[in-house]
Structure formats: structure tokens, C-alpha cells
Amino acid sequence: MSTPTISTLRKTTVRAFALGVVSGAFLTAAIVAATPAKADSTTLAYTAVMGEIVCTTLAQFPTYSGITGIGQAIAEDGLTLNQAGEVMWMSVANLCPEHTSLLMSYAARYGTDLA
């Protein structure tokens, strides 16, 4: 099964996931800075178990389509798109920071209003 391209996805889905990536960046920054943050226990638990897989998959598919595919896979596991973005960001921040610029670029591109 191939990863769908961004052009075949609903714009609102990509936007929601990108906003999750953005909010994940802020959540991770708050956690790193030791500022009290309400991290979702589901998101933290999922990241602890699947963070390495997120990074391995991102290393194999370091593209916007790869990011979207990972987000969709996480959402299919029952998390919201916002949580999927947070999982992706926490995974990258903690396990594979070499993908930070790609995530930030994705969030800048798709985290704005696409309407």
C-alpha cells in the first residue's frame, strides 16, 4: 500500500495534522523548559511506545507526504490528528532531531488556513 500524496488528501485533514505538529512543538518546548504543561497521557504513552517507529519511518520517507502518512497511521490507531502531530513532534524532538527542520517546514506550509 503506497503512502497517499498531499494532493489526494482533504486539505482540512492536512491542516489539522499540521496544527497538531505546531502545538506539539509548543508542548515539547514547555516540557523541555520544565514549565508546567498538561501533556495528554495518551499522547505521551503512544510516543513512548511508538516514537522509534515514527523516527524510522520518517528517515525512510523524509518528505511532506511521509509526514502526512505517519500522521494518518497514528490517527488510524485511534488518536486525534492533533495528538498525532504532538506524537510526531515529541518523537522528533527526543529521538531524531535531525528531522526538526522538515517538521517545521511542514507546519509552516500546512499549518495556515488552506480555505
Side-chain angles (χ1 to χ4, degrees):
M1 185 179 301
S2 65
T3 303
T5 62
I6 301 235
S7 61
T8 63
L9 299 172
R10 294 183 58 210
K11 289 181 179 182
T12 54
T13 300
V14 173
R15 180 173 177 257
F17 175 64
L19 290 174
V21 170
V22 171
S23 68
F26 288 115
L27 176 64
T28 302
I31 291 170
V32 170
T35 303
K38 289 191 174 184
D40 183 305
S41 61
T42 301
T43 304
L44 290 173
Y46 189 95
T47 303
V49 173
M50 301 298 286
E52 283 289 336
I53 294 171
V54 168
C55 287
T56 299
T57 305
L58 191 54
Q60 292 175 339
F61 304 98
T63 63
Y64 287 0
S65 293
I67 292 171
T68 301
I70 293 167
Q72 287 180 315
I74 294 169
E76 287 174 8
D77 283 345
L79 279 70
T80 67
L81 289 172
N82 189 53
Q83 288 173 317
E86 291 173 359
V87 165
M88 174 130 352
W89 184 258
M90 286 188 288
S91 298
V92 167
N94 294 307
L95 302 170
C96 51
E98 65 272 15
H99 298 298
T100 300
S101 63
L102 177 62
L103 271 186
M104 293 307 289
S105 175
Y106 181 93
R109 169 66 178 93
Y110 294 106
T112 59
D113 188 6
L114 298 176

